């Protein structure tokens, strides 16, 4: 009961922020929240399950395109379009995961890289269905019970997405399922000897996190009210990887810290060095891997203990 | 006493080499059965076949009267056969207690969101704490596993295997790489496991460790059984003395 109250308070607080932000900053805030949602689910896939996949951002795109196509090209009602979007993401995730998780991790990386590239090709070549290179524009979120959710109220929807993603992943992480995922990551042979079905655990983790990315994509579709191929390029798949590693792989707080830092850093850096912030990210990545493999959250963990020693 | 695990005519070849040949033996309820033999006798191969890591070319294995040969390792664990690893394979990113909780994987009901799930988690947590205490790692329960010595790592292997509430536990050379004192500690723990009513199958090439511990012994050489009996019977068996020539004087 008390924890339920905590979640409600967090939702109210994080949503309230949106009502004090102007249009531009509200947009920045919404995208920051979406990056946090993506980093949280990617952390479960990469950091907790130990699966090196580059398809996470593609699933974000698949979710976004799917909901728009189902709503406006096929004329489905919103709940059905969301359900269909989830089914599409699940089906694609299963097609990729079932064969590749049975092989070494390297093959999953290759298969997901191929999926991410193929997705962009399909978007560009999709003709009227995907809108080709121009993507799909001029649509808006349908009314829900006669109400159009806009402005800071839509930001509240994104807040609920982030908190829902976090609550679900945290619950899973603390359960036997989360332990099985980490066991498979650390030592598949020993995990199997403990009764963990290694292949099934990997497939479930991959599919679940990919669907979460897809759902985030569906929410994103009504942030910019346009979906087009350049948005879902491969560089964002690497940005997610950077966020999780720099923040602290395997830790929810790490994913959040990494997402906040790497999303906001270009706003600070751009006036100074233009679009060369990728260089800074790369350098940061090297420094973290060499000096603090547990990421920034690992530094935080060490700090209070260092104080006690004095 | 009834047999809990029965192996019948197991054969495993690697290319031209026959590692295990027509091997039959049984583990009885509540006993510590030792499987010994010089290096290359086929002990590890037999162990891996039972644990599901290798598939036998022919032969049958039944556990509690059900066939288990050819099942994957996780299915064998699910049926109540847990194992330890000779080289210690902990889950590096987890604490001692979390490692033991992974061992309890098969004891969870499945539904993650029911009201029962939280109670189940608490129950297994308490059980894992007791097991960590039982093997003598209580002080280190929240420690990261990289802080454990090799001998402590071996104790963790045992606690983790016990967490699955096995009916049979397989030990892969549990004394290998340990000091004499550590090996004695392991022997005490293994006796405690047998006293809890769990059958133990132990493979070992160190006779000094095994003979005082085992209730019965099966001796392998070149993949075949050359003797079987109580430690005393085996100790004076001519074929065993022959196979262990050099070691034999020390036995």
């Amino acid at each position: 009961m008390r924890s339920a109250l905590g979640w409600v308070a967090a939702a109210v607080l994080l949503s309230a922020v949106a009502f004090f932000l102007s249009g531009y900053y509200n947009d920045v805030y919404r995208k920051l929240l979406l990056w946090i949602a993506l980093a949280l689910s990617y952390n479960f896939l990469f950091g907790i399950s130990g699966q090196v996949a580059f398809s996470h951002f593609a699933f974000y795109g698949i979710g976004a395109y799917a909901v728009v196509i189902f709503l406006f090209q096929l004329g489905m009602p919103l709940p059905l379009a969301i359900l269909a979007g989830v089914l599409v993401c699940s089906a694609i995730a299963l097609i990729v995961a079932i064969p590749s998780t049975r092989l070494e991790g390297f093959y999953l990386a290759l298969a997901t890289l191929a999926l991410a590239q193929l997705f962009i090709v399909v978007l560009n070549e999709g003709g009227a269905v995907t809108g080709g290179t121009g993507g799909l524009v001029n649509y808006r979120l349908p009314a829900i019970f006669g109400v159009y959710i806009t402005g800071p109220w839509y930001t509240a929807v994104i807040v609920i997405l982030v908190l829902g993603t976090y609550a679900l992943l945290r619950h899973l992480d603390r359960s036997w399922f989360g332990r099985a995922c980490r066991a498979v990551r650390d030592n598949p042979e020993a995990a199997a000897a403990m009764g963990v079905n290694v292949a099934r655990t990997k497939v479930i983790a991959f599919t679940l996190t990919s669907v979460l990315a897809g759902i985030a994509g569906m929410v994103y579709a009504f942030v910019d009210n346009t979906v087009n191929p350049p948005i879902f390029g491969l560089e964002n798949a690497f940005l997610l990887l950077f966020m999780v590693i720099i923040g602290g792989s395997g830790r929810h707080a790490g994913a959040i810290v990494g997402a906040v830092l790497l999303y906001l850093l270009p706003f600070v850096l751009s006036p100074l060095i233009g679009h060369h912030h990728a260089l800074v990210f790369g350098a940061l990545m090297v420094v973290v891997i060499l000096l603090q493999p547990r990421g920034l959250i690992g530094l935080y963990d060490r700090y209070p203990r260092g104080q006690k020693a004095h | 006493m009834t047999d809990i695990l029965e192996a019948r005519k197991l054969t495993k070849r690697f290319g031209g080499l026959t590692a295990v040949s027509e091997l039959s033996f049984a583990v009885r309820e509540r006993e510590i059965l030792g499987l010994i033999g010089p290096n290359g006798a086929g002990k590890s191969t037999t162990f891996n076949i039972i644990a599901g890591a290798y598939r036998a070319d022919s032969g049958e294995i039944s556990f509690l009267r059900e066939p288990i040969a050819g099942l994957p390792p996780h299915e064998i664990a699910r049926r109540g056969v847990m194992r330890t690893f000779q080289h210690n394979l902990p889950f590096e990113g987890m604490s001692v207690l979390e490692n033991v909780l992974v061992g309890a994987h098969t004891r969870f009901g499945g539904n993650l969101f029911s009201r029962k799930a939280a109670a189940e988690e608490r129950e297994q947590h308490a059980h894992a704490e007791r097991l960590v205490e039982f093997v003598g790692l209580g002080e280190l329960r929240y420690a990261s596993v990289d802080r454990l010595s090799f001998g402590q790592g071996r104790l963790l292997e045992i606690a983790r295997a016990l967490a699955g509430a096995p009916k049979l536990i397989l030990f892969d050379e549990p004394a290998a790489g340990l000091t004499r004192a550590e090996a004695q500690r392991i022997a005490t723990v293994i006796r405690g496991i047998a006293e809890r009513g769990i059958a133990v199958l132990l493979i070992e090439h160190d006779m000094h460790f095994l003979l005082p511990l085992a209730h019965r012994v099966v001796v392998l050489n070149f993949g075949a059984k050359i003797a079987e009996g109580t430690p005393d019977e085996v100790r004076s068996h001519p074929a065993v003395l022959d196979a262990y020539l050099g070691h034999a004087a020390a036995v």
Side-chain angles (χ1 to χ4, degrees):
Chain A
M1 197 63 218
R2 251 172 66 195
S3 77
L5 234 85
W7 290 107
V8 171
V12 169
L13 225 82
L14 287 170
S15 304
V17 173
F19 290 87
F20 297 97
L21 295 172
S22 69
Y24 171 72
Y25 287 106
N26 194 18
D27 187 56
V28 170
Y29 184 53
R30 286 169 162 194
K31 283 170 187 160
L32 173 64
L33 289 170
L34 286 165
W35 275 109
I36 291 172
L38 279 176
L40 281 168
S41 51
Y42 190 62
N43 175 56
F44 199 94
L45 177 60
F46 171 79
I48 292 172
S49 306
Q51 299 186 56
V52 185
F54 296 103
S55 52
H56 207 64
F57 208 83
F59 278 102
Y60 184 66
I62 291 169
Y65 263 93
V67 79
V68 173
I69 290 169
F70 287 137
L71 275 173
F72 305 107
Q73 312 280 56
L74 300 178
M76 287 184 187
L78 185 62
L80 202 62
I82 292 170
L83 188 69
V86 167
L87 288 177
V88 166
C89 288
S90 313
I92 296 173
L94 287 171
I95 290 167
V96 174
I98 288 174
S100 50
T101 50
R102 287 178 187 276
L103 304 167
E104 298 282 317
F106 176 66
Y107 292 93
L108 182 72
L110 279 186
T112 52
L113 210 53
L115 173 70
Q117 290 294 62
L118 185 67
F119 174 58
I120 300 300
V121 172
V122 168
L123 293 186
N124 282 319
E125 305 297 324
V129 179
T130 65
T133 50
L136 299 166
V137 289
N138 293 329
Y139 60 82
R140 65 182 296 194
L141 183 66
I144 299 160
F145 300 118
V147 180
Y148 287 98
I149 301 173
T150 54
W153 293 104
Y154 194 70
T155 310
V157 171
I158 304 173
V159 166
I160 290 165
L161 167 86
V162 174
L163 291 177
T165 302
Y166 177 52
L168 175 67
L169 294 176
R170 198 177 73 139
H171 182 74
L172 291 179
D173 185 35
R174 292 174 175 187
S175 72
W176 57 265
F177 179 71
R179 279 193 299 269
C181 286
R182 283 179 286 141
V184 167
R185 170 198 69 189
D186 287 349
N187 198 313
E189 189 188 354
M194 298 304 121
V196 177
N197 184 334
V198 172
R200 195 169 71 178
T201 303
K202 283 183 178 175
V203 169
I204 292 172
F206 183 85
T207 307
L208 177 89
T209 53
S210 297
V211 167
L212 285 174
I215 293 171
M218 293 182 204
V219 173
Y220 166 73
F222 304 99
V223 167
D224 284 339
N225 286 316
T226 170
V227 284
N228 55 61
I231 300 174
F232 303 109
L234 198 55
E235 65 279 7
N236 285 322
F238 290 102
L239 184 54
L240 269 175
L241 185 70
F242 285 13
M243 284 174 172
V244 168
I245 290 177
I246 290 173
S249 183
R251 301 276 301 273
H252 302 300
I256 296 169
V257 168
V260 171
L261 185 76
L262 291 202
Y263 178 68
L264 294 181
L265 209 54
F267 291 95
V268 182
L269 291 175
S270 287
L272 304 172
I273 56 171
H275 285 304
H276 300 301
H277 51 252
L279 278 175
V280 177
F281 288 3
L284 201 58
M285 183 84 166
V286 171
V287 170
V288 166
I289 289 172
L290 289 178
L291 299 181
Q292 183 57 42
R294 289 179 178 191
L296 295 174
I297 208 72
L299 280 181
Y300 170 81
D301 288 343
R302 279 200 334 205
Y303 181 65
R305 243 171 281 154
Q307 270 196 329
K308 265 182 220 156
H310 284 292
Chain B
M1 274 196 280
T2 47
D3 295 342
I4 185 163
L5 180 101
E6 197 184 352
R8 281 181 300 273
K9 297 195 166 190
L10 290 182
T11 298
K12 174 73 183 172
R13 288 179 215 89
F14 293 104
L17 177 84
T18 304
V20 176
S21 168
E22 301 267 311
L23 175 64
S24 299
F25 66 92
V27 186
R28 298 171 187 162
E29 266 178 7
R30 313 176 75 91
E31 81 167 343
I32 301 176
L33 178 71
L35 198 60
I36 61 169
N39 280 327
K43 304 185 298 288
S44 287
T45 306
T46 306
F47 185 96
N48 280 313
I49 292 169
I50 295 170
Y54 294 165
R55 186 184 276 264
D57 294 316
S58 63
E60 288 160 46
I61 306 169
S62 58
F63 177 66
L64 298 173
R65 314 213 170 280
E66 279 183 41
I68 59 163
L71 291 177
H74 66 264
E75 284 294 340
I76 289 175
R78 195 161 280 283
R79 281 164 170 71
V81 182
M82 299 291 281
R83 66 168 290 181
T84 67
F85 290 91
Q86 187 188 338
H87 300 289
N88 295 358
L89 295 181
F91 304 115
E92 310 265 353
M94 299 185 211
S95 70
V96 167
L97 197 62
E98 282 178 302
N99 265 267
V100 177
L101 278 165
V102 175
H105 182 80
T106 59
R107 307 195 61 207
F108 285 89
N111 192 337
L112 286 165
F113 300 98
S114 70
R115 207 165 277 190
K116 237 181 70 192
E120 202 174 50
E121 183 76 26
R122 272 196 302 277
E123 186 188 313
Q124 289 304 327
H125 217 274
H127 186 235
E129 296 239 11
R130 286 197 293 276
L131 290 172
V132 169
E133 209 66 62
F134 169 67
V135 299
L137 295 176
E139 307 271 288
L140 291 161
R141 74 187 70 156
Y142 300 119
S144 157
V145 291
D146 54 24
R147 283 188 45 209
L148 302 185
S149 70
F150 189 77
Q152 289 169 331
R154 184 61 51 72
L155 290 166
L156 172 60
E157 288 274 322
I158 296 174
R160 190 174 69 172
L162 284 173
K167 300 180 188 80
L168 170 66
I169 181 162
L170 311 174
F171 285 97
D172 189 359
E173 306 218 4
L178 300 188
T179 64
R180 189 168 283 263
E182 285 172 332
Q184 283 316 307
R185 173 95 195 95
I186 298 278
T188 308
V189 170
I190 292 174
R191 280 195 193 93
I193 290 168
E195 277 161 21
R196 289 173 164 216
I198 299 167
V200 172
L201 174 63
L202 192 58
I203 72 162
E204 187 57 65
H205 74 264
D206 180 357
M207 293 243 217
H208 297 289
F209 176 77
L210 187 95
L211 292 182
L213 183 59
H215 301 140
R216 284 192 314 127
V217 179
V218 170
V219 189
L220 300 186
N221 200 16
F222 299 113
K225 182 161 78 180
I226 57 168
E228 180 174 1
T230 64
D232 282 334
E233 287 164 1
V234 162
R235 212 188 298 262
S236 51
H237 196 288
V240 177
L241 293 173
D242 201 32
Y244 268 87
L245 199 66
H247 297 270
V251 176

